[in-house]
Amino acid sequence: MEDCYRILGVKPGATIAEIRRAYREKVKKYHPDVSGDEATAEHFKKVVRAYEILTDQKARSIFDSSFAAHFRRRKVNSWDYREWLLAREDDESRAKLIFFDLMHGREDDAVAEFKRMQTERSKFSLKHWFTRENFMDYGFILSEELHLRGDYYDAFCLLEQIIKMEYSYDYFRLFFPEVLSFAKNILRNHIEGVISDELALDAYERALELELGDAEDAFVLRKMGIIYKRIGDARTADICFEEADRIGGAGGKG
């Protein structure tokens, strides 16, 4: 078996977030649909296998034990970049701290700081401080962590930004269906009845601007109708149901 870390281009001890990002980069480079080259396609198989091993806790543990003698320990830098970021309160430093922690095994700290900044600074924006590519990569990983912790509204809002970027800048390409599927999963399973009606309506209105397709738009409109009906706005509820039926066929009013 070859060195899985070398194949993905990450160091031993890499976090799951780092491994996922490296895998996405390799797929965009070596996927047979992109390269069309037989040798490259063969390397793509190695990339997939390495990713499967390193994202499976048991398989990775076995691999690490078997190849430990070949791995070098990461050198400790005498200058602590994280401590330097922690000591600063400007938006740029806090944004960089969030993504630094996200990529260095401190996911809880990254999510907590992101939530703090969202609450305390209304104009705080992660995307302002990073290249489009880095924001899209790290933002997607952060949305996964938010989702895991039940912060569904914030997770969806990050995905919304990424989806709009992808429409104007073809970056994720082969991975974009995964991004869309993730956003749709949140809309279908973690919004209405899970978060407040006010935030739910905001998320659904945002979703209608994302070109997710007629079926998804009809679903969203019906959910909006349910909420408007529940809060006593029967007229708006009827408008939502009628529009849902128009674009998505009969589906009932819930």
Side-chain angles (χ1 to χ4, degrees), residues 31-44:
H31 195 285
D33 291 345
V34 174
S35 67
D37 179 76
E38 187 172 337
T40 304
E42 191 61 33
H43 185 71
F44 173 73

Side-chain angles (χ1 to χ4, degrees), residues 24 39 42 67 90 116 132 152 168 179 182 207-209 211 230 233 246 251:
R24 285 199 292 270
E42 191 61 33
F67 286 82
D90 58 284
R116 182 181 79 85
R132 189 187 301 240
Y152 302 117
S168 63
V179 177
F182 187 22
L208 291 174
E209 299 178 2
E211 303 175 25
R230 179 164 61 239
D233 189 345
R246 184 185 70 80

Side-chain angles (χ1 to χ4, degrees), residues 194-228:
V194 178
I195 64 177
S196 71
D197 286 343
E198 181 182 4
L199 289 181
L201 287 172
D202 182 69
Y204 287 140
E205 287 172 1
R206 291 169 180 263
L208 291 174
E209 299 178 2
L210 295 182
E211 303 175 25
L212 298 178
D214 286 350
E216 214 63 35
D217 286 352
F219 172 85
V220 165
L221 284 163
R222 289 188 182 107
K223 286 296 185 179
M224 291 176 69
I226 291 171
I227 295 173
Y228 279 119

Side-chain angles (χ1 to χ4, degrees), residues 48-61:
V48 173
R49 180 57 179 157
Y51 175 75
E52 291 174 344
I53 290 173
L54 296 185
T55 53
D56 181 282
Q57 186 175 1
K58 184 176 180 180
R60 183 176 182 179
S61 177

Side-chain angles (χ1 to χ4, degrees), residues 155-165 206-207 209-210:
F156 177 76
C157 288
L158 272 176
L159 291 172
E160 176 202 16
Q161 295 178 64
I162 293 168
I163 291 168
K164 287 183 175 180
M165 284 184 175
R206 291 169 180 263
E209 299 178 2
L210 295 182

Side-chain angles (χ1 to χ4, degrees), residues 60-118:
R60 183 176 182 179
S61 177
I62 294 172
F63 178 82
D64 285 350
S65 298
S66 302
F67 286 82
H70 301 288
F71 298 151
R72 296 179 179 178
R73 295 287 184 185
R74 179 179 299 177
K75 293 181 180 180
V76 178
N77 195 317
S78 58
W79 179 60
D80 194 323
Y81 179 57
R82 185 174 188 275
E83 288 299 320
W84 182 81
L85 291 174
L86 275 172
R88 301 166 66 86
E89 273 298 325
D90 58 284
D91 283 8
E92 179 179 3
S93 295
R94 306 318 288 189
K96 290 181 177 178
L97 175 64
I98 290 167
F99 281 168
F100 180 88
D101 281 350
L102 186 68
M103 302 302 291
H104 291 82
R106 304 181 71 109
E107 292 88 351
D108 286 341
D109 291 330
V111 169
E113 181 63 14
F114 175 74
K115 296 287 289 181
R116 182 181 79 85
M117 294 299 289
Q118 291 287 100

